[in-house]
């Protein structure tokens, strides 16, 4: 009778199409407050795991037969030998029009109180590798509403630009000016590693009103896990890539690239990598090109990602490893000067060391000529500034210095702009050529 029951039960079970599946699970062997080690399971890097009942962590590496994980945030009241179960790979990011007007965190979960995101598509969070020949050239200017940038550092559709400065010099204010005025179909903002207060401030003052409906914000403040900060940067870039694949003109704002490098430094040092320049392990600096190179123009769809990254120069050092690495990869950089800010010049753009590497391709010849004349006068004035202020220079001794002194008020008036003022591209070019076009 027992035999007949077993045959009937197993026969019914086989007929139902049931396939037994092993449940992968491991055990937590150590945790030092930052890095977790698990034994008994083998998972690829990037897999999200549940540890115990409440803690989520991501696999970041392996060591001596153990799987290394890092907490994705929240309290981690864990006990030895807590169960570790994989939840699934984090390879996909939710993308598409369903995200417009929404605010999500580094894990892609909405934090704006508007309910779940429905109808979103998916895109690889690490991006899709493009052939260099699939990248289109930067040939069209982009109006950002800032006179000094439109006229002297003209940005093109698909360009990657860095705003480089020390702390408190006006990077976020300049970003807000650009976001409000930029002519783009979609704006994707990644607020990575910054103050929590800035998230609400950015939403209410920088992308309020009609701009909110065409914007997606990924917010991962400084008190979140370093893994989440990096995932936030990758997620924001993936969202922008998906819109570019639809043929849209996307403006990607990331504030800040340095905080992403800081997160990479925390993870690299926890994994035992040797620290090199300024304590950054090689992997933290090597991560930057993988993020920056995903922006640009797509020759196949005609869409573009114009990316603007803020780069914090620690200690106002222009040779900081992150600043130096970003400057070598980007298509241009805008340097903000603390001395100009202290003199009340806002935005405090230091025209001399700032450059747009595509300006000659997208600007007319009279425009480029006038910009060079202004730069020449400004450079001459700055070189002789001390002599002029001390009264050691005698008027008429050098025509170039005389011209620089005469034009200096016009130069400063051109650079200055109120935070709530918008100067269109055509107006900025007209003002520039009218004053400096005959120089």
């Amino acid at each position: 009778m027992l035999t007949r029951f077993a045959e009937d039960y197993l026969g019914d079970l086989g007929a139902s199409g049931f396939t037994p599946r092993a449940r992968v699970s491991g055990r937590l062997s150590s945790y030092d407050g930052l890095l977790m080690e698990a034994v008994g399971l083998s998972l690829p890097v990037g897999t999200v795991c549940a540890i115990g009942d409440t803690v989520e962590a991501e696999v970041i590496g392996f060591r001596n037969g153990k799987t290394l994980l890092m907490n994705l945030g929240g309290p981690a009241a864990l006990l030895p030998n807590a169960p570790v179960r994989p939840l699934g790979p984090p390879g996909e990011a939710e993308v598409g029009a369903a995200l417009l007007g929404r605010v999500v965190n580094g894990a892609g979960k909405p934090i704006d109180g508007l309910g779940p995101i429905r109808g979103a598509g998916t895109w690889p969070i690490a991006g899709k590798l493009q052939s260099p020949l699939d990248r289109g050239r930067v040939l069209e200017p982009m109006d950002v509403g800032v006179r000094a940038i439109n006229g002297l550092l003209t940005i093109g559709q698909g360009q990657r630009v860095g705003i480089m400065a020390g702390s408190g010099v006006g990077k976020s204010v300049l970003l807000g000016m650009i976001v409000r005025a930029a002519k783009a179909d979609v704006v994707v903002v990644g607020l990575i590693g910054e103050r929590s207060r800035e998230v609400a401030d950015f939403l209410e003052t920088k992308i309020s009103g009609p701009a909110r409906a065409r914007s997606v914000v990924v917010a991962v403040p400084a008190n979140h896990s370093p893994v989440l900060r990096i995932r936030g940067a990758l997620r924001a870039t993936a969202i922008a890539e998906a819109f570019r694949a639809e043929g849209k003109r996307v403006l990607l704002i990331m504030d800040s690239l340095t905080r992403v490098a800081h997160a990479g430094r925390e993870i690299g040092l926890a994994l035992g990598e040797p620290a090199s320049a300024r304590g950054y392990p090689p992997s933290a600096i090597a991560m930057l090109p993988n993020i920056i190179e995903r922006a640009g123009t797509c020759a196949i769809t005609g869409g573009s990602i114009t990316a603007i990254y803020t780069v914090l120069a620690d200690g106002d050092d222009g040779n900081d490893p992150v600043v130096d690495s970003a400057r070598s990869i980007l298509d241009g950089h805008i340097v903000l000067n603390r001395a100009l800010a202290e003199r009340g010049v806002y935005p405090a753009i230091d025209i001399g060391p700032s450059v747009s590497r595509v300006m000659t391709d997208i600007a007319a010849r009279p425009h480029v000529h006038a910009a060079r004349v202004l730069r020449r006068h400004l450079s001459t004035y700055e070189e002789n500034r001390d002599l002029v202020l001390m009264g050691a220079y005698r008027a008429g001794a050098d025509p170039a210095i005389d011209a620089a002194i005469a034009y200096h008020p016009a130069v400063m008036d051109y650079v200055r702009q109120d935070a709530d003022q918008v100067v269109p591209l055509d107006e900025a070019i007209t003002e520039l050529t009218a004053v400096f076009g005959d120089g």
Side-chain angles (χ1 to χ4, degrees), residues 137-162:
R137 293 182 61 200
V138 179
L139 298 174
E140 296 182 20
M142 182 176 188
D143 187 355
V144 296
V146 181
R147 186 192 295 109
I149 297 177
N150 279 342
L152 305 173
L153 304 163
T154 311
I155 293 177
Q157 299 280 354
Q159 186 176 357
R160 293 87 50 86
V161 182

Side-chain angles (χ1 to χ4, degrees), residues 381 383-394 405:
Y381 182 87
E383 288 173 1
N384 298 277
R385 176 183 175 82
D386 292 340
L387 290 176
V388 174
L389 294 180
M390 289 188 302
Y393 175 72
R394 179 169 50 85
I405 295 173

Side-chain angles (χ1 to χ4, degrees), residues 25 35 38 56 85 114 125 160 172 177 202-203 231 240 275 293 295 314 331 346 363 365 402:
S25 179
L35 199 64
E56 289 190 1
R85 300 183 301 274
L114 300 178
I125 198 167
R160 293 87 50 86
S172 297
M177 296 171 68
F202 203 96
L203 292 174
R231 284 164 63 90
E293 278 297 309
D314 290 331
D331 301 321
Y346 288 102
R365 185 169 296 181
D402 292 338

Side-chain angles (χ1 to χ4, degrees), residues 93-95 123-127 233-243 294:
E94 290 187 321
V95 298
W123 190 270
I125 198 167
L234 297 176
R235 185 174 298 277
T237 308
I239 293 171
E241 284 179 315
F243 282 116
R294 292 169 63 180

Side-chain angles (χ1 to χ4, degrees), residues 389-423:
L389 294 180
M390 289 188 302
Y393 175 72
R394 179 169 50 85
D398 188 326
I401 298 178
D402 292 338
I405 295 173
Y407 276 106
H408 190 68
V411 172
M412 289 295 99
D413 287 342
Y414 192 81
V415 173
R416 285 191 184 95
Q417 183 175 332
D418 292 336
D420 57 353
Q421 182 184 5
V422 176
V423 180

Side-chain angles (χ1 to χ4, degrees), residues 236-272:
T237 308
I239 293 171
E241 284 179 315
F243 282 116
R244 179 181 62 186
E246 297 175 6
K248 289 182 165 53
R249 297 177 302 166
V250 184
L251 174 64
L252 171 63
I253 301 285
M254 192 170 294
D255 186 16
S256 78
L257 195 65
T258 303
R259 304 302 186 191
V260 178
H262 287 179
R265 179 170 62 184
E266 291 181 48
I267 295 174
L269 295 178
L271 288 172

Side-chain angles (χ1 to χ4, degrees), residues 44-49 57-59 72 87-93 106-107 123-126 227 231 234-235:
V45 172
T47 303
V48 177
C49 297
E58 181 176 322
V59 177
L72 288 178
L87 297 178
E92 302 290 334
W123 190 270
I125 198 167
V227 177
R231 284 164 63 90
L234 297 176
R235 185 174 298 277

